[in-house]
Amino acid sequence: MICRHLAITGRVQNVFYRDWLVEQARGIGITGWVRNRADGSVEAVVSGSSEMIEAIVARAQQGSPASRVENVTVSEAPLQVFDGFEKRVNM
Protein backbone atom coordinates (compact mmCIF):
# COMPACT_ATOMS: atom_id res chain seq x y z
CA MET A 1 0.00 0.00 0.00
CA ILE A 2 1.15 3.50 -0.86
CA CYS A 3 -0.40 6.93 -0.43
CA ARG A 4 -0.18 9.86 -2.84
CA HIS A 5 -1.37 13.47 -2.90
CA LEU A 6 -2.85 14.68 -6.20
CA ALA A 7 -3.15 18.34 -7.15
CA ILE A 8 -5.40 18.71 -10.20
CA THR A 9 -5.60 21.97 -12.14
CA GLY A 10 -7.64 23.17 -15.08
CA ARG A 11 -11.41 23.42 -15.43
CA VAL A 12 -12.13 21.00 -12.59
CA GLN A 13 -14.67 22.79 -10.41
CA ASN A 14 -18.40 23.03 -11.14
CA VAL A 15 -18.11 20.22 -13.69
CA PHE A 16 -18.85 17.24 -11.38
CA TYR A 17 -15.15 16.33 -11.29
CA ARG A 18 -15.16 15.35 -7.59
CA ASP A 19 -18.25 13.15 -7.90
CA TRP A 20 -16.76 11.55 -10.99
CA LEU A 21 -13.43 10.92 -9.22
CA VAL A 22 -15.24 9.36 -6.24
CA GLU A 23 -16.96 6.95 -8.64
CA GLN A 24 -13.68 6.14 -10.41
CA ALA A 25 -11.76 5.58 -7.16
CA ARG A 26 -14.44 3.36 -5.68
CA GLY A 27 -14.54 1.32 -8.89
CA ILE A 28 -10.78 0.73 -8.70
CA GLY A 29 -10.85 0.07 -4.94
CA ILE A 30 -8.83 3.17 -4.00
CA THR A 31 -9.39 4.70 -0.57
CA GLY A 32 -8.95 8.35 0.41
CA TRP A 33 -10.68 11.64 -0.29
CA VAL A 34 -11.12 14.51 -2.77
CA ARG A 35 -12.03 18.18 -2.28
CA ASN A 36 -12.09 21.55 -4.01
CA ARG A 37 -9.46 24.15 -3.13
CA ALA A 38 -10.03 27.89 -2.90
CA ASP A 39 -7.66 28.51 -5.84
CA GLY A 40 -9.94 26.63 -8.27
CA SER A 41 -7.98 23.39 -8.23
CA VAL A 42 -8.96 20.01 -6.80
CA GLU A 43 -6.86 17.94 -4.45
CA ALA A 44 -7.06 14.30 -3.48
CA VAL A 45 -5.24 11.87 -1.24
CA VAL A 46 -5.36 8.33 -2.58
CA SER A 47 -4.24 5.07 -0.99
CA GLY A 48 -3.85 1.69 -2.62
CA SER A 49 -1.40 -0.55 -4.46
CA SER A 50 1.02 1.07 -6.90
CA GLU A 51 -1.02 -0.33 -9.81
CA MET A 52 -4.22 1.14 -8.37
CA ILE A 53 -2.53 4.52 -7.87
CA GLU A 54 -1.27 4.49 -11.47
CA ALA A 55 -4.82 3.75 -12.66
CA ILE A 56 -6.45 6.56 -10.65
CA VAL A 57 -3.78 9.06 -11.73
CA ALA A 58 -4.42 8.17 -15.38
CA ARG A 59 -8.16 8.67 -14.88
CA ALA A 60 -7.59 11.91 -12.95
CA GLN A 61 -5.64 13.21 -15.96
CA GLN A 62 -8.48 12.20 -18.29
CA GLY A 63 -11.09 13.92 -16.13
CA SER A 64 -14.85 13.95 -16.12
CA PRO A 65 -16.67 14.54 -19.41
CA ALA A 66 -17.21 18.27 -18.72
CA SER A 67 -13.78 18.96 -17.22
CA ARG A 68 -10.56 20.08 -18.88
CA VAL A 69 -7.61 18.85 -16.85
CA GLU A 70 -4.42 20.83 -17.42
CA ASN A 71 -2.13 19.07 -14.96
CA VAL A 72 -2.06 16.42 -12.25
CA THR A 73 0.85 16.76 -9.85
CA VAL A 74 1.54 13.62 -7.85
CA SER A 75 3.56 13.73 -4.64
CA GLU A 76 4.23 11.27 -1.84
CA ALA A 77 1.94 11.39 1.17
CA PRO A 78 2.26 9.71 4.56
CA LEU A 79 0.61 6.30 4.60
CA GLN A 80 -2.90 6.64 5.98
CA VAL A 81 -5.75 4.20 6.44
CA PHE A 82 -9.12 5.34 5.09
CA ASP A 83 -12.54 3.76 5.23
CA GLY A 84 -13.57 4.04 1.59
CA PHE A 85 -13.30 7.09 -0.69
CA GLU A 86 -15.18 10.29 0.10
CA LYS A 87 -15.83 13.79 -1.12
CA ARG A 88 -14.75 16.25 1.57
CA VAL A 89 -15.80 19.81 2.35
CA ASN A 90 -14.05 22.43 0.26
CA MET A 91 -10.87 23.99 1.58
Side-chain angles (χ1 to χ4, degrees):
M1 294 287 282
I2 60 173
C3 198
R4 297 292 182 260
H5 177 266
L6 310 181
I8 304 122
T9 59
R11 186 173 158 221
V12 292
Q13 290 192 14
N14 300 313
V15 291
F16 299 101
Y17 186 90
R18 289 176 302 150
D19 290 324
W20 175 85
L21 193 64
V22 167
E23 182 179 299
Q24 299 302 307
R26 288 178 179 169
I28 293 171
I30 291 282
T31 61
W33 54 264
V34 62
R35 69 179 171 194
N36 284 340
R37 294 186 48 92
D39 65 2
S41 68
V42 168
E43 74 175 325
V45 173
V46 295
S47 181
S49 69
S50 58
E51 294 83 12
M52 295 164 81
I53 299 297
E54 287 178 24
I56 198 64
V57 169
R59 292 186 189 184
Q61 291 170 329
Q62 174 190 347
S64 65
S67 69
R68 289 206 178 109
V69 177
E70 291 176 7
N71 191 41
V72 177
T73 303
V74 181
S75 57
E76 289 189 34
L79 186 57
Q80 301 172 57
V81 176
F82 301 102
D83 185 25
F85 196 88
E86 67 181 12
K87 182 170 70 170
R88 288 197 172 169
V89 176
N90 299 346
M91 181 175 179

